[in-house]
Amino acid sequence: MRERQEIQEVSRERRITAAVRRLFLPVLSGIFFSLAFPSVDAGYLAWIALVPLLVSIANSSPRESFVLGYLSGFLGFAIILSWMRLFGIVPWLLLAAYLGLYIGAFAGLYRWLAGGRPIVRSVWLVPLVWTALEYVRSIGVFGFPWALLGVSQHAAIPVLQVARISGVYGISFLIALVNAALAAVVLTRRPAALIAPGLLVAAVAAWGLGAMPAPAQGSLRVATLQPNVPPPLKFDPHAASNNLALLRNLVGQAASAPTDLIIMPETALPSDIFGGRGLLPMLGAWARSARSTLIATSLEHGRSNIAVAVAPSGAAVDRYDKVRLVAFAESGIQPGLGHSPMSTPLGPLGVAICFESIFPEVSRDLVRDGAEVVVVITNDAWSDGTAGPLQHARFAPLRAVETGRWVIQASNSGLSEIVDPSGRIAASLPVGEPGVLRGRVTLLRTSTPYARWGDWFAQLMVVGAIAATLLRRDDLAAEVRRKEFRAAVVACLLPLLAAGSLLAIRSPWWSWVATLLGFVGIFALGRIGSPAGGAQMAWRGLVAATVLGAALVAALWTVVVIAFRANEIPMDITVPEWGWGLALRQLLIAAAIELWLRGQAFPALVSWKGVPVAIGATTLIGMVVQVGLPAEAIAWAMVTGLGFGLIRSRTRSALGLIVPHALGNVLIAFLTVVR
């Protein structure tokens, strides 16, 4: 008996040791991935960051691979985005948890497409899937292309040049390919798998050396202002006169030598530019005195994040309103109508405000519409002392190479810099150092292949990933033949298509709500996810789901309020006049969605693939329903959808989630109604 216990104990210790070893490699990948970006900024680590993860999943099932990939991605993004803790622990972890899903999806999808074959036989699948998912992560209202693999090579100028053709995604492809080849070498102990990828990267680097233009001094004299005003003082009425005096002095410093263009950072002015008490007359006097075109910025009327071009004559000649807004942080800001260059006496200037500069399509749209230089204005002072400003600044070299334009970044507290079309930093002003950054740029009209054709390469990778999925037709056919799969498709998609069609034509709300409720009645056959075991168990589940759901909504709303207050983001919300009719409307909408997703679709998905898939799929569908609404509403649908799914799996009640869902709709409407 004692010997048997000892054997069992040894066996258990071995299993624990094996599990720890298996988890070590994905963790190592996450650490390497994070170190490739600032603050460490060891870009060379990106070329080996995926190797431990790929080795760890070499013989794993797709589901196990997803879990290991998710662990690696969550850890990596949590380290990279550690500066997000300034908004609160919960928002930071939620964002890392969301982005980690893409790394998990990469690992799981890659292993499924590889079909259990060794990595040496599927090396090219790795960059295909990775690049496709990076592109998907970067687009749409929920897009967040932070820490793309290609951005880690901002200082590798020869390799960077491939972005002129493919955008940043081509660089990510090369890095993922090398990682896959190195993993194959580790697994097979044969270097042959590295030959073709190595030759490709060498050829790209050699081409890049010849393709990048020689350093040249431009003809347009520019100056960016870095006032380094602390965020609490930026809009403090008591500090307004001091802030204006600081800006006036910096404009004077910039004008002490001949200067054609002076650029302020984001929302530099403490008051409005336009209107009866606006600062335009004063700005006009500054521009006339400096004999320069002045790019002035403000949070106009507290509602619009704008840049205004003031000519040397003193007249305001054009205006740009920020289009791409930061979810929650800019919930009260009215977005602009489109990314268009500003007309100035110097020529058309493309302006990207803060968050917009991380999206390749923004600068590309500006250049396609005629911008001859790209100006990035930002205020990263709220994240001073962290890696946030440095990570943000690393996008500028990519935007320069992609568009073939000089990029000028003006930041309130740094990093301000001037980048030439090859991605080289021509001049910079460090973080936290007030002053004026001077330099020369050239207004250019030539176009790069990327500026003309856009994200053709990344889109080709998406098509390739879809084609690779369709080639697994035997596995797909086997799934289609399962009655559980067909039931899940009917339960999820048929109501979505019917109600979605009505939403697309902007039909009255009651029509698509009635459609959803009708499908629930037809297909659910009266079963709405209540617990088995009689009326007593059903009531217990309903009460538990209601209490837990309401607690979740209250907790999430508390997190939002605390994050806003901690970062002094004004919660200038408009409270609708809620009457009985409007309350009943919200209850009906919540009932339709919950009885469909958690009542009808959830059990069908559980029967097909289990609880995790049911939670993920119903959450995703709930987000799709919100398409067309602000990003805040989609983010809210994601977080509450995950929470409601967990509650549904424990209580087995969909009815109890109706009231919490309606409560959540009311609360999030407070933030989004101003849009």
Side-chain angles (χ1 to χ4, degrees):
M1 187 69 165
R2 186 174 180 181
E3 290 180 357
R4 182 181 300 176
Q5 290 178 344
E6 290 178 352
I7 292 173
Q8 290 176 346
E9 177 122 3
V10 170
S11 177
R12 185 170 64 86
E13 290 178 355
R14 287 177 177 174
R15 287 197 302 270
I16 293 174
T17 302
V20 170
R21 287 178 178 174
R22 192 176 189 192
L23 294 176
F24 172 75
L25 290 178
V27 167
L28 189 61
S29 269
I31 294 173
F32 282 171
F33 178 69
S34 67
L35 295 179
F37 300 92
S39 55
V40 176
D41 208 13
Y44 60 88
L45 287 177
W47 298 90
I48 62 171
L50 303 183
V51 173
L53 173 62
L54 291 171
V55 170
S56 71
I57 66 174
N59 298 309
S60 300
S61 67
R63 180 171 295 189
E64 292 171 334
S65 298
F66 173 86
V67 173
L68 295 174
Y70 184 77
L71 170 64
S72 180
F74 173 76
L75 177 62
F77 282 114
I79 297 173
I80 292 170
L81 297 170
S82 58
W83 50 268
M84 279 286 296
R85 291 175 298 172
L86 297 169
F87 285 108
I89 300 297
V90 174
W92 164 48
L93 294 179
L94 284 176
L95 183 57
Y98 164 68
L99 295 174
L101 290 172
Y102 288 93
I103 312 300
F106 155 73
L109 181 58
Y110 158 69
R111 283 314 305 161
W112 184 74
L113 292 176
R117 293 189 295 269
I119 191 174
V120 70
R121 297 178 57 187
S122 50
V123 165
W124 293 86
L125 276 176
V126 171
L128 176 72
V129 176
W130 180 275
T131 308
L133 286 172
E134 271 202 347
Y135 177 68
V136 171
R137 172 161 73 89
S138 304
I139 61 175
V141 69
F142 226 42
F144 190 66
W146 204 269
L148 301 180
L149 269 184
V151 178
S152 68
Q153 303 307 299
H154 62 89
I157 304 302
V159 175
L160 209 63
Q161 303 312 305
V162 75
R164 297 175 60 188
I165 300 173
S166 63
V168 63
Y169 305 106
I171 306 172
S172 295
F173 180 93
L174 291 175
I175 298 171
L177 176 62
V178 170
N179 273 275
L182 289 172
V185 171
V186 171
L187 290 168
T188 64
R189 293 183 173 84
R190 296 177 181 176
L194 192 57
I195 295 175
L199 289 175
L200 177 61
V201 173
V204 167
W207 171 82
L209 280 171
M212 60 184 185
Q217 190 176 45
S219 57
L220 188 72
R221 299 161 298 188
V222 301
T224 69
L225 311 184
Q226 188 165 298
N228 197 35
V229 177
L233 299 180
K234 200 166 178 57
F235 300 107
D236 185 348
H238 301 291
S241 59
N242 291 335
N243 293 344
L244 280 176
L246 174 60
L247 287 172
R248 181 176 61 248
N249 290 337
L250 290 176
V251 170
Q253 291 180 36
S256 61
T259 304
D260 302 305
L261 177 66
I262 300 174
I263 305 167
M264 293 182 182
E266 180 186 15
T267 60
L269 293 165
S271 304
D272 295 337
I273 295 176
F274 301 104
R277 297 184 177 181
L279 300 176
L280 183 58
M282 182 184 67
L283 295 172
W286 290 1
R288 287 192 297 271
S289 175
R291 298 181 181 179
S292 303
T293 296
L294 177 66
I295 303 299
T297 61
S298 75
L299 189 60
E300 200 74 1
H301 306 299
R303 284 285 184 266
S304 300
N305 192 343
I306 70 169
V308 177
V310 182
S313 65
V317 292
D318 208 346
R319 163 177 169 168
Y320 172 77
D321 288 47
K322 185 178 182 181
V323 178
R324 189 88 187 219
L325 304 176
V326 181
F328 293 98
E330 293 181 305
S331 58
I333 306 301
Q334 295 284 2
L337 299 179
H339 302 289
S340 299
M342 288 201 303
S343 298
T344 75
L346 303 172
L349 306 182
V351 174
I353 300 181
C354 193
F355 184 61
E356 294 181 319
S357 70
I358 75 174
F359 296 93
E361 66 271 17
V362 171
S363 54
R364 173 179 174 261
D365 288 346
L366 291 169
V367 168
R368 286 191 66 184
D369 287 343
E372 298 176 359
V373 67
V374 175
V375 175
V376 177
I377 57 176
T378 184
N379 174 32
D380 293 329
W382 50 267
S383 60
D384 276 357
T386 72
L390 296 176
Q391 290 175 7
H392 188 193
R394 298 316 180 216
F395 288 93
L398 271 300
R399 303 295 89 93
V401 175
E402 289 165 344
T403 60
R405 295 293 186 269
W406 286 80
V407 173
I408 309 166
Q409 177 155 315
S411 177
N412 173 39
S413 60
L415 184 68
S416 296
E417 57 188 7
I418 299 173
V419 186
D420 77 6
S422 293
R424 291 175 290 228
I425 308 298
S428 65
L429 198 58
V431 173
E433 182 178 316
V436 175
L437 175 66
R438 298 179 180 279
R440 288 176 175 265
V441 305
T442 300
L443 299 178
L444 299 172
R445 296 181 180 178
T446 56
S447 182
T448 63
Y450 178 78
R452 292 193 298 269
W453 305 329
D455 292 315
W456 67 272
F457 180 81
Q459 291 162 357
L460 183 63
M461 295 300 102
V462 173
V463 172
I466 294 173
T469 300
L470 295 177
L471 289 175
R472 296 291 307 272
R473 55 183 177 271
D474 292 339
D475 293 333
L476 294 174
E479 287 293 340
V480 171
R481 286 194 293 268
R482 293 180 58 190
K483 64 179 182 179
E484 295 87 356
F485 171 79
R486 296 196 297 270
V489 169
V490 170
C492 294
L493 297 187
L494 200 56
L496 178 63
L497 292 174
S501 299
L502 293 173
L503 283 170
I505 62 175
R506 299 190 176 186
S507 61
W509 69 271
W510 52 263
S511 62
W512 63 266
V513 167
T515 300
L516 285 181
L517 290 174
F519 272 108
V520 169
I522 294 171
F523 292 105
L525 300 177
R527 293 182 300 173
I528 54 175
S530 297
Q536 186 176 8
M537 290 296 295
W539 276 106
R540 286 181 180 176
L542 186 149
V543 172
T546 303
V547 172
L548 291 173
L552 172 68
V553 169
L556 290 173
W557 180 251
T558 301
V559 168
V560 171
V561 173
I562 291 174
F564 273 54
R565 290 180 177 176
N567 293 277
E568 300 184 356
I569 300 173
M571 290 192 69
D572 187 9
I573 56 179
T574 302
V575 180
E577 295 181 3
W578 296 97
W580 285 107
L582 201 51
L584 180 60
R585 169 180 171 177
Q586 290 300 327
L587 281 172
L588 286 174
I589 291 173
I593 292 176
E594 286 305 320
L595 294 179
W596 163 40
L597 290 181
R598 255 67 65 173
Q600 173 185 321
F602 197 94
L605 288 163
V606 170
S607 298
W608 174 45
K609 283 293 183 181
V611 171
V613 170
I615 293 174
T618 52
T619 299
L620 182 61
I621 296 172
M623 294 168 63
V624 171
V625 172
Q626 305 297 321
V627 169
L629 295 179
E632 292 87 352
I634 299 176
W636 185 266
M638 180 186 73
V639 179
T640 56
L642 292 171
F644 288 170
L646 287 170
I647 293 171
R648 166 66 176 82
S649 68
R650 306 296 286 183
T651 65
R652 304 182 66 185
S653 175
L655 274 175
L657 295 170
I658 294 175
V659 171
H661 188 125
L663 176 63
N665 287 351
V666 172
L667 291 175
I668 198 65
F670 289 166
L671 285 180
T672 59
V673 71
V674 294
R675 296 281 185 84

